[in-house]
Amino acid sequence: MNCWLVFTLITFGLVSLSEPVYADTLDKAPEQLTNSLMQIDAAASKGDVEGVMQFYSPSFIHGDGINYQTMEQALDKFWKHYPRLRYKTKVQSWKSKGDFIIAETLLVLLVYHLPIKINWP
């Protein structure tokens, strides 16, 4: 699976055609949005698939055919291969639309490497 697709789905950044409200800091974004993003980042940073998937509807289907089950499987496989990733999502813009918040986000992915031990002859 394309890694960029997984990163995009995790951040669930949605782009709107109307004028967004630009957030200089997370303080200006609604608390519900920032709390959800912090919870998603924390779960993703721990490789907690269930913690991330609680933010997805069981009927989730992406335009490219990925559904709840395939997303869950992809995250599990991805995080087994890359267990030391740390996520930090930043709000770029947001707007309220009825009972929903539509946000454009930027994902900062921190990669921690294990020290390499080299045995010299």
Side-chain angles (χ1 to χ4, degrees):
M1 172 173 293
N2 185 334
C3 292
W4 290 108
L5 175 60
V6 173
F7 298 149
T8 302
L9 292 174
I10 292 172
T11 60
F12 69 84
L14 301 174
V15 180
S16 169
L17 297 176
S18 62
E19 284 297 310
V21 175
Y22 287 94
D24 295 329
T25 65
L26 286 179
D27 307 17
K28 294 184 180 180
E31 188 175 339
Q32 178 185 359
L33 173 61
T34 57
N35 286 343
S36 294
L37 291 174
M38 286 190 305
Q39 290 175 38
I40 292 168
D41 286 344
S45 293
K46 292 187 290 187
D48 177 5
V49 176
E50 287 182 27
V52 170
M53 295 308 295
Q54 73 178 345
F55 291 92
Y56 286 82
S57 166
S59 60
F60 167 79
I61 298 177
H62 190 270
D64 64 1
I66 292 178
N67 62 28
Y68 184 93
Q69 183 180 10
T70 55
M71 178 69 173
E72 189 173 40
Q73 292 168 347
L75 288 176
D76 185 55
K77 185 176 181 180
F78 183 75
W79 287 331
K80 282 181 180 169
H81 288 319
Y82 303 100
R84 297 184 56 97
L85 298 176
R86 299 299 172 259
Y87 295 81
K88 175 70 177 156
T89 305
K90 296 183 179 183
V91 177
Q92 298 297 295
S93 64
W94 63 274
K95 73 173 193 163
S96 293
K97 188 170 186 177
D99 291 338
F100 299 96
I101 298 171
I102 300 173
E104 180 180 359
T105 60
L106 173 68
L107 174 64
V108 177
L109 187 61
L110 306 169
V111 181
Y112 293 96
H113 297 281
L114 294 172
I116 299 173
K117 182 178 180 182
I118 301 174
N119 293 321
W120 294 100

